[in-house]
Amino acid sequence: MDIRVSGHQVETGEALQAHATERLTAIIEKYFSRAISSQVTFGRGPANGFRCDIVMHVMQHLVLKGTGLAQDAHLALDQAAEKIDKQLRRYKRRLTDRSEQSAHAMALVTDGAANGIDNAAYTIFEEIPDSHEDEYEADAPVVIAETRVDVPEATVSDAVMMLDLRNTTALFFKNAGTGRHNMVYRRGDGSIGWVEPG
């Protein structure tokens, strides 16, 4: 995995770069055989602290983001890396659960067909809300133009999973079932909203 460590108004010495490489390599090896790349960026945080942002490209269409704030750069890195680790753990658990649910659904359909019964499987993925960190709001937020945005083709449940993994508040996607563009987003109460144009 290609790991790049950089700093904005912060020096990233060899020890910090080595710590970042070791931490991220260990996380990837725990869940996958390899990943594409990781970008670790250190900057100034509140109260003369440090901020660490990690953007990890695990595979095509799987981008994870984590942020940490601490008085020590190593601790900020550990906080951000822990968020990445948690997202990958969730992703692997969902893949395992989905595989088991598919096998169970196929067994129901096969058993039902053998007995002349038409069964259909429908699964609802219940979201477990995480505690959100308090974020400050500016009176006039900065508008950031995204020059390249991938629009994945996914089911609604996969889109919700990507929303969590990308650590973002909204995801625009092409619905694999209908072929139309949809959006999922995190509502203020922590639940997930789904927008399907009429």
Side-chain angles (χ1 to χ4, degrees), residues 58-94:
V58 180
M59 59 184 72
Q60 188 175 6
H61 303 301
L62 179 56
V63 180
L64 308 179
K65 296 178 183 177
T67 299
L69 296 170
Q71 290 300 310
D72 178 75
H74 291 265
L75 293 177
L77 170 70
D78 289 339
Q79 286 179 7
E82 183 58 37
K83 291 176 183 174
I84 297 288
D85 187 280
K86 184 177 180 181
Q87 291 169 12
L88 279 172
R89 187 168 54 245
R90 257 201 233 150
Y91 177 69
K92 289 293 275 190
R93 187 181 328 122
R94 286 185 182 177

Side-chain angles (χ1 to χ4, degrees), residues 10-21:
V10 172
E11 287 294 324
T12 58
E14 288 182 24
L16 187 57
Q17 291 183 19
H19 181 60
T21 301

